Amino acid sequence: MVELFINKFSKTKQYLYSILLIFLVAGICFIFSGYIGYRVVAFILLVTVSLIAMFFDILPVLAAALMSALIWDYFFIPPHFTLQVATTDDSILLLMYFVIASVNAVLTYKIRQIEKVAMQKEEKANTVKLYNTILNSLSHELRTPIAAIIGATDNLQNHNEKLTQNNRYELVKEISKASFRLNQQVENLLNMSRLESGIIQPKKDWCDIIEVIYDVVKRIEENGISQKINININPAIPLFKLDKGMLEQVIYNLVNNAAIYTDATCIINIIAICHADVLQIIIEDNGKGFIPDEITHVFDKFYRLKNTKTGGTGLGLSIVKGFTEAMGGSIYLENLSTGGARFTINIVAETSYQKNIKNE
Amino acid sequence: MSNPAEILIIDDEVQMRKLLEITLQTNDYSVSKAATAKEGIIMAANHPPDMIILDLGLPDEDGHSVLQKLREWYTNPVIILSVLNNEEDIVNALDAGANDYLTKPFRTGELLARMRTALRGAFTEENNPVLSYNDLQIDLSARTVKRNNELIKLTATEYALLATFAKNEGRVLTHQYLLREVWGPGFINQTQYLRVFIAQLRKKLENDPNRPEYFVTESGIGYRFVFKE
């Protein structure tokens, strides 16, 4: 925050504001000089210089230190309105005033420099840590299916005559499964890099939410899941102008996640509601829910929940958040009091009601 | 097949050419291959094939311009291959005269089904006026639709949309194509009409309108009317 404050002011402005502040404080002290002694004024000015040191660069602060020493000498130390100092005590005080103010400026500046270096170091360490997490997760998620493919093809090529018909069939099935897994991961990575590039622009077109949701559910059911999926949408829900591809990906990732990470007997509910011009989509399950401490992290890139099974890159939910926000929407995750998790998406979009279109 | 259809594959990836060649030869097609756009166009001109499978991502020339050059004289089907997440490319190619598309990676069964559909002539009022499948019967010359032998009442627009689909059974039809054919050239961006009328047709003709078998969504591209498997 302090850094921000400094960056807001140019060098020239920092000089100007330091000097002005000194003059202002000195002026107020001068008005009340009948009530307070001139030595107290020295302390008030010293506090002012210290405060300036907290926010501004070293040179403007040193200028303020020098300026305040001169002002104190000229206006406050007897004899007034002259730079002369009457007593030895006051000479020593004036010298010490200047030294303390300068030391103050230099020390504050040094502390800030050290803080800056430490922050950069920490940032770098975090980047390295994230990079390692990405590498580990990616190399695992990409290499496992590749290993399966290479192993299976090796077997088929080198031991073809020794393999039973059934084993041959099993190996081919493994190759197929591994390929689809690879394809899924590559798609996630491509979506992530689309988001990262920052050039992602939603292509808005009229979407039939009922069609979108049923299509996604059909695709997920074709993967062979055992959970029951309930869909609850009012048939009179209007069309929404949204990026259909993004919306599909968001719903797919959420429902697919629910299917992967809940028990086979769980139930997944998908609800779509229209509130004025807001499309609300709720995807909830009656599984175990999320560990409360982890809820704030689930949308982080490459974040994998502790103790979860392998099979993801930690990209699914960050893509969900990225796409939802790219469409101008928001997403919220909560645990249900009855157990299970609920994702709520709200997107403001143009709507079109069927009854206004049937024009024949 | 006594007289196998000749297919020209234009793809720069040797692995893709190999895979396509094996798949097609196993299914009794005769195959020729080209690795570049230039080679492909020359081969097509010297000996016009019954169908071309064209990869959109060729090294020496943009696939769209290859398609455009071919379509100046070549009237047989062209099926394009594209990478995923490139709906705009696919829609442009379909509007420029490609008959169908597949995105890599694709299932070979899907490829063969698309090829059969593209090689088969279109249904018209004259050559094949009645289409029937399961419980559904569409009579293009009488302009009637029956489900379980019961006449289904369709509005004029619903019927026009259904007829467009029926004539192009199995083929992907882009949003723009359907809007132009049914509503007219001024309506090609009014996709909300299409969404509403597709939903209505599904309600009247599908067994489960939410899990359609006949009016299949091709996400980001259009719809496909699937009537025969």
Side-chain angles (χ1 to χ4, degrees):
Chain A
M1 214 212 103
V2 172
E3 292 292 323
L4 266 176
F5 200 75
I6 292 171
N7 291 338
K8 255 171 73 180
F9 297 107
S10 70
K11 270 267 155 59
T12 339
K13 276 197 176 154
Q14 287 192 22
Y15 280 108
L16 190 71
Y17 288 139
S18 331
I19 305 291
L20 273 179
L21 199 61
I22 293 292
F23 270 110
L24 185 71
V25 172
I28 294 170
C29 288
F30 193 74
I31 293 166
F32 293 101
S33 59
Y35 307 96
I36 48 174
Y38 68 94
R39 289 182 178 162
V40 176
V41 172
F43 277 95
I44 295 174
L45 286 173
L46 203 55
V47 168
T48 313
V49 174
S50 305
L51 283 176
I52 293 171
M54 282 172 69
F55 298 110
F56 289 166
D57 269 344
I58 182 157
L59 287 177
V61 176
L62 284 176
L66 181 66
M67 185 57 98
S68 60
L70 289 175
I71 288 174
W72 186 47
D73 181 7
Y74 192 81
F75 291 99
F76 295 96
I77 299 177
H80 292 174
F81 306 112
T82 153
L83 286 176
Q84 279 171 1
V85 180
T87 66
T88 320
D89 276 11
D90 285 345
S91 302
I92 296 170
L93 270 182
L94 178 61
L95 184 69
M96 274 168 54
Y97 174 88
F98 182 68
V99 171
I100 292 171
S102 306
V103 167
N104 218 334
V106 172
L107 281 182
T108 316
Y109 176 73
K110 278 199 168 164
I111 290 171
R112 280 223 307 267
Q113 288 295 96
I114 292 166
E115 266 182 354
K116 212 168 150 186
V117 172
M119 231 161 74
Q120 276 169 349
K121 261 192 190 157
E122 199 187 338
E123 251 170 45
K124 208 179 148 205
N126 280 340
T127 316
V128 171
K129 210 172 123 197
L130 179 67
Y131 184 69
N132 282 336
T133 322
I134 295 169
L135 271 189
N136 284 338
S137 153
L138 269 192
S139 62
H140 176 261
E141 285 312 317
L142 296 178
R143 284 211 172 110
T144 309
I146 292 171
I149 293 172
I150 292 177
T153 48
D154 274 353
N155 262 314
L156 288 168
Q157 277 173 330
N158 301 330
H159 311 289
N160 200 11
E161 50 305 326
K162 276 193 267 173
L163 289 167
T164 62
Q165 184 68 36
N166 188 43
N167 281 345
R168 255 199 298 265
Y169 172 75
E170 285 295 322
L171 286 174
V172 170
K173 224 170 79 181
E174 280 311 308
I175 295 175
S176 168
K177 252 174 34 193
S179 315
F180 277 94
R181 191 167 156 193
L182 266 181
N183 192 38
Q184 184 82 50
Q185 299 301 4
V186 169
E187 208 166 309
N188 272 337
L189 281 171
L190 287 177
N191 279 330
M192 200 68 233
S193 58
R194 274 175 76 201
L195 276 171
E196 289 282 282
S197 70
I199 49 165
I200 192 159
Q201 273 295 332
K203 282 180 284 183
K204 287 185 185 171
D205 195 1
W206 291 107
C207 294
D208 180 343
I209 298 303
I210 301 175
E211 181 188 57
V212 170
I213 289 177
Y214 275 94
D215 273 356
V216 168
V217 168
K218 187 178 157 213
R219 257 163 64 208
I220 289 169
E221 283 172 344
E222 279 167 358
N223 296 346
I225 64 156
S226 33
Q227 290 90 342
K228 187 171 170 11
I229 300 180
N230 289 325
I231 301 171
N232 189 349
I233 313 169
N234 183 342
I237 198 166
L239 301 172
F240 287 88
K241 206 165 196 181
L242 288 166
D243 187 309
K244 194 172 170 223
M246 283 191 193
L247 188 65
E248 278 178 339
Q249 193 67 52
V250 166
I251 300 170
Y252 182 92
N253 285 10
L254 287 175
V255 179
N256 198 40
N257 257 31
I260 291 173
Y261 296 112
T262 58
D263 294 334
T265 52
C266 283
I267 295 168
I268 300 165
N269 289 318
I270 307 174
I271 302 151
I273 313 161
C274 173
H275 301 289
D277 58 348
V278 176
L279 169 63
Q280 183 173 68
I281 299 173
I282 295 168
I283 292 163
E284 57 182 25
D285 61 62
N286 60 349
K288 292 191 184 71
F290 288 84
I291 298 168
D293 293 347
E294 293 193 317
I295 282 187
T296 47
H297 292 294
V298 293
F299 295 112
D300 292 356
K301 211 186 330 161
F302 296 108
Y303 186 83
R304 306 273 341 265
L305 300 179
K306 286 158 197 107
N307 311 321
T308 48
K309 25 180 172 176
T310 55
T313 42
L315 283 176
L317 288 180
S318 58
I319 290 171
V320 164
K321 186 163 190 266
F323 277 7
T324 305
E325 286 171 359
M327 287 186 284
S330 62
I331 181 159
Y332 175 71
L333 165 63
E334 65 195 312
N335 275 336
L336 297 171
S337 55
T338 50
R342 174 192 279 160
F343 288 90
T344 308
I345 294 171
N346 288 302
I347 309 174
V348 178
E350 213 181 312
T351 56
S352 171
Y353 279 88
Q354 290 199 19
K355 54 179 186 284
N356 302 335
I357 289 167
K358 286 186 197 168
N359 62 340
E360 6 181 56
Chain B
M1 226 187 272
S2 54
N3 191 11
E6 288 177 30
I7 316 289
L8 171 62
I9 299 162
I10 311 178
D11 196 312
D12 61 314
E13 291 286 344
V14 63
Q15 276 195 311
M16 281 311 293
R17 289 201 301 275
K18 189 91 211 160
L19 171 77
L20 289 171
E21 185 180 24
I22 292 173
T23 309
L24 299 190
Q25 279 176 349
T26 314
N27 286 278
D28 302 316
Y29 291 105
S30 126
V31 176
S32 51
K33 296 173 292 181
T36 62
K38 202 175 154 200
E39 198 186 338
I41 291 171
I42 293 170
M43 283 175 79
N46 286 343
H47 185 80
D50 297 308
M51 173 188 280
I52 294 175
I53 296 176
L54 172 68
D55 178 26
L56 280 185
L58 293 169
D60 59 329
E61 195 176 337
D62 178 52
H64 294 284
S65 103
V66 178
L67 180 65
Q68 216 169 11
K69 281 183 190 168
L70 286 170
R71 274 294 175 240
E72 281 168 15
W73 60 273
Y74 182 77
T75 52
N76 286 341
V78 176
I79 291 183
I80 53 163
L81 299 180
S82 167
V83 284
L84 265 169
N85 293 330
N86 227 341
E87 290 97 356
E88 225 175 299
D89 253 14
I90 294 165
V91 168
N92 287 341
L94 290 172
D95 285 341
N99 296 60
D100 216 321
Y101 77 99
L102 284 157
T103 52
K104 296 177 184 174
F106 54 82
R107 317 298 305 245
T108 51
E110 200 110 309
L111 168 71
L112 294 166
R114 303 281 159 88
M115 288 176 64
R116 279 194 298 272
T117 303
L119 286 168
R120 185 202 66 206
F123 299 117
T124 61
E125 284 86 343
E126 296 82 42
N127 73 7
N128 201 344
V130 181
L131 291 156
S132 62
Y133 178 68
N134 281 353
D135 52 347
L136 215 56
Q137 211 175 47
I138 304 168
D139 190 330
L140 290 172
S141 53
R143 300 173 66 86
T144 55
V145 183
K146 281 182 190 166
R147 190 172 164 197
N148 293 325
N149 279 326
E150 248 177 76
L151 216 58
I152 304 279
K153 214 171 141 26
L154 295 181
T155 66
T157 310
E158 283 168 359
Y159 180 79
L161 185 59
L162 179 66
T164 309
F165 273 124
K167 287 173 198 167
N168 295 287
E169 192 277 312
R171 298 190 173 130
V172 62
L173 301 176
T174 62
H175 298 135
Q176 279 76 8
Y177 177 85
L178 288 164
L179 286 162
R180 197 170 44 230
E181 288 292 303
V182 177
W183 281 270
F187 289 79
I188 57 165
N189 291 319
Q190 308 293 319
T191 42
Q192 71 270 39
Y193 286 75
L194 201 49
R195 302 276 180 237
V196 167
F197 278 86
I198 294 275
Q200 282 170 211
L201 277 181
R202 281 175 175 162
K203 234 171 261 166
K204 290 186 180 177
L205 303 179
E206 295 277 3
N207 292 316
D208 180 353
N210 288 326
R211 295 167 196 274
E213 296 168 77
Y214 305 140
F215 303 92
V216 178
T217 310
E218 296 276 323
S219 202
I221 292 161
Y223 291 91
R224 188 189 297 274
F225 184 58
V226 182
F227 213 43
K228 286 186 180 118
E229 270 307 301

